[in-house]
Amino acid sequence: MKKQSPVSRSGRFGSGPAADAAQFTESISFDWRLWEHDILGSLAHAAMLHKIGLLSKTELTSIQNTLGAIAKEISAANFHWDPALEDVHMNIEAELTRRAPAGAKLHTGRSRNDQVALDLRMWLRDEIVSLNREIRALQFSLVNLGSKYSHVIIPGYTHVQRAQPVYFAHHLLAYTEMLERDHDRFSDCFWRTNICPLGSGAIAGSTLPLDREFVAKLLGFVDTKGNPRVTQNSMDAVSDRDFVVEFCSSAALLAVHLSRLAEDVVLWSSSEFSFIKISDAYTTGSSLMPQKKNPDVAELVRGKSGRVIGNLMAMLTLLKGLPMTYNRDLQEDKERLFDTANTVQSSVRLTAAMLDNTTVNELTCNAAARDAALLATDLADYLVRKGMPFRQAHHVVGAVVGAAEREGRTLDQLDVTTLKKIDAHFDKDVSDIFDLKKAMSRREMTGAPGTRQVAKQLARWQKILRAS
Ligand code: ARG
């Protein structure tokens, strides 16, 4: 038997939509993935209709059982989605009503406008929880890799020029911090998503005595004390997609962070740097050049940030200029949101997996870190400790660098006599400056890459990640 659309076109319309119009306006091809939340929302709404006396116990039970059976079929991929029924809401309701006549009462006091807002908020809540879990796992991978190579020092860079020595772990912990801010932003976004719009109807609520708070509680739209959280303006509730924009925006920033990390990985794995080696499982070869091993996973993480940023722009553009309240334009939110969530989830997961399968070339790192020029600033600090103003010290060390260059030596190869000739403040103890181990133990304020500081930060993060 053909399913009847629960939206009775026959009451008002002379005919069904033209085939091309139906194809253009359908959303079942992508919004089917809201099915579980749609059913949960319907179950809560039905329970509420029973509570306020609009559904008998028998009707409620029949709706509950039938929706349960439909849910099982959908999850077993045994459900036929019919594009003629437009979207996930109508597909499920039509099938429910076909099997259980009481289903015709389910849409009492409800519109697809508040229904879709509900489904989307519920779907996104779950998505945020699982994304934040993935972010934690990536932080764990960063901290793990840092701990494994906690003794490895590399040059820190500004302008992609060697600047000052840092522990490899310190560099990785920079990303751990960025990801923590991402995690916070998503948690924040969760709270603005976690407000129940059901009961707003199409635009203006309902004349029926719906118990919105009851539904909100059933669906977990509660504050930390367990009090229900419901939207406060029906017009806002059906047209608000701020929570989608917020998610897309936080995701865009997360994608940018991942892209920067990916770029470091690409650089580090190049022959020129050769700081790390990504295992074969997370690299690909070239179809032409047999020697190639390409960091494609990192490159695609970097590349995919483009579409996440694009999705944010699409969402903002979609909303800009939309008159109140619900407009069908809003259907365009889903593919952008789904794509954003998919892309950041997989990018976070794959970045973690890639790092778990990465080894550090300690020899190349150590050789690069031993570049004495990295300690030129330490040499200036040495003069400062001898009482020289920093500006002057900077100038003197500049002259030392020039002298070393002219003599074809590295900074640490200049003897004290040569240094003394440049400035009388230099003394025998200057050789200490170029002892990298000592140099690393001298940078010990909070946030600096000193030996004890980095160990402390690694321990701090291990504790945080273990607890979460
Ligand atoms: N598929 C629609 C969407 O995603 C559901 C809401 C439809 N509402 C309406 N008045 N046509 O936005």
Side-chain angles (χ1 to χ4, degrees):
M1 186 172 98
K2 201 172 156 33
K3 289 175 209 166
Q4 279 284 304
S5 166
V7 175
S8 172
R9 290 180 67 93
S10 56
R12 164 72 179 76
F13 293 87
S15 68
D20 53 357
Q23 200 188 11
F24 187 68
T25 54
E26 68 83 24
S27 56
I28 190 63
S29 53
F30 49 86
D31 69 9
W32 63 268
R33 65 190 281 182
L34 296 172
W35 69 268
E36 204 170 353
H37 299 98
D38 195 75
I39 287 179
L40 287 172
S42 287
L43 287 171
H45 186 65
M48 184 272 292
L49 292 177
H50 169 61
K51 180 174 181 268
I52 63 171
L54 293 180
L55 269 188
S56 71
K57 183 74 197 162
T58 328
E59 287 169 329
L60 174 64
T61 310
S62 149
I63 288 176
Q64 285 169 335
N65 292 343
T66 315
L67 282 178
I70 291 174
K72 269 204 194 112
E73 286 163 36
I74 299 174
S75 81
N78 271 338
F79 188 82
H80 173 68
W81 298 107
D82 184 356
L85 293 172
E86 233 179 88
D87 57 24
V88 63
H89 324 294
M90 298 225 281
N91 265 271
I92 292 174
E93 198 189 325
E95 185 57 23
L96 166 71
T97 313
R98 194 180 69 80
R99 298 186 196 181
K105 288 193 173 180
L106 180 62
H107 216 47
T108 307
R110 188 175 76 168
S111 153
R112 276 185 297 156
N113 296 355
D114 59 352
Q115 191 178 357
V116 71
L118 173 75
D119 292 5
L120 216 49
R121 284 175 183 270
M122 287 174 68
W123 182 87
L124 188 55
R125 277 192 320 197
D126 287 353
E127 205 60 29
I128 290 174
V129 170
S130 80
L131 177 59
N132 264 354
R133 229 180 271 131
E134 299 278 0
I135 291 178
R136 280 276 180 258
L138 173 54
Q139 288 179 308
F140 190 79
S141 297
L142 286 161
V143 171
N144 238 0
L145 190 61
S147 305
K148 207 162 139 198
Y149 296 98
S150 61
H151 52 285
V152 174
I153 302 167
I154 56 170
Y157 294 80
T158 62
H159 314 266
V160 205
Q161 304 289 323
R162 285 184 180 175
Q164 294 188 315
V166 295
Y167 279 99
F168 179 68
H170 190 63
H171 194 131
L172 297 183
L173 286 175
Y175 286 105
T176 315
E177 295 285 340
M178 290 179 223
L179 290 168
E180 187 62 13
R181 294 194 293 274
D182 293 322
H183 188 276
D184 277 1
R185 266 183 288 272
F186 286 117
S187 301
D188 237 48
C189 172
F190 180 94
W191 283 108
R192 272 179 296 279
T193 302
N194 193 32
I195 306 176
C196 188
L198 208 67
S200 303
I203 166 171
S206 171
T207 59
L208 301 165
L210 307 179
D211 187 341
R212 297 192 61 204
E213 284 71 19
F214 176 79
V215 173
K217 268 187 155 177
L218 275 185
L219 295 175
F221 289 99
V222 290
D223 63 18
T224 47
K225 293 194 192 97
N227 295 318
R229 302 179 81 213
V230 299
T231 52
Q232 299 294 311
N233 181 296
S234 62
M235 293 177 77
D236 178 38
V238 294
S239 63
D240 171 27
R241 293 295 182 273
D242 290 5
F243 59 99
V244 177
V245 173
E246 270 192 69
F247 179 81
C248 288
S249 156
S250 303
L253 193 44
L254 165 63
V256 165
H257 292 155
L258 296 177
S259 178
R260 295 182 69 176
L261 172 56
E263 172 62 9
D264 276 341
V265 167
V266 169
L267 284 176
W268 287 347
S269 65
S270 68
S271 314
E272 281 68 17
F273 275 81
S274 205
F275 285 179
I276 59 170
K277 192 164 164 256
I278 308 167
S279 87
D280 290 358
Y282 289 88
T283 52
T284 52
S286 154
S287 54
L288 190 145
M289 300 164 282
Q291 86 284 12
K292 288 292 288 281
K293 210 174 111 168
N294 299 327
D296 291 30
V297 170
E299 289 171 295
L300 277 169
V301 166
R302 191 177 58 188
K304 282 176 190 288
S305 64
R307 67 156 85 188
V308 180
I309 294 167
N311 288 340
L312 170 63
M313 291 309 130
M315 272 310 301
L316 289 167
T317 314
L318 174 67
L319 295 173
K320 182 196 86 71
L322 266 199
M324 289 291 260
T325 53
Y326 179 86
N327 297 272
R328 191 61 178 273
D329 314 44
L330 288 176
Q331 183 167 290
E332 284 288 305
D333 61 359
K334 276 160 224 69
E335 284 165 294
R336 305 283 62 85
L337 177 62
F338 295 161
D339 183 64
T340 298
N342 288 347
T343 308
V344 289
Q345 278 256 11
S346 57
S347 297
V348 170
R349 189 174 312 147
L350 267 291
T351 302
M354 177 181 66
L355 293 176
D356 292 344
N357 287 277
T358 292
T359 51
V360 173
N361 291 335
E362 302 187 31
L363 286 179
T364 6
C365 290
N366 286 339
R370 269 199 306 272
D371 178 353
L374 291 167
L375 296 170
T377 314
D378 291 44
L379 194 58
D381 288 348
Y382 165 90
L383 293 172
V384 167
R385 277 194 294 272
K386 302 265 177 200
M388 189 182 285
F390 181 76
R391 290 290 180 206
Q392 195 186 334
H394 185 279
H395 184 81
V396 170
V397 174
V400 173
V401 171
E405 250 171 41
R406 277 191 302 279
E407 292 186 25
R409 290 166 190 269
T410 58
L411 281 190
D412 54 336
Q413 286 169 343
L414 295 177
D415 55 22
V416 194
T417 334
T418 317
L419 290 174
K420 266 187 182 300
K421 262 189 228 151
I422 298 171
D423 192 280
H425 286 83
F426 284 118
D427 220 331
K428 278 207 297 288
D429 58 349
V430 73
S431 61
D432 248 19
I433 294 302
F434 297 106
D435 180 327
L436 189 55
K437 220 170 156 193
K438 283 189 184 153
M440 295 318 282
S441 69
R442 275 193 289 263
R443 333 167 111 70
E444 290 297 4
M445 67 281 294
T446 304
T451 309
R452 286 213 322 275
Q453 265 307 318
V454 173
K456 213 166 115 183
Q457 291 289 342
L458 280 172
R460 181 175 77 87
W461 276 110
Q462 272 156 355
K463 203 169 142 197
I464 294 173
L465 296 174
R466 240 182 278 124
S468 64

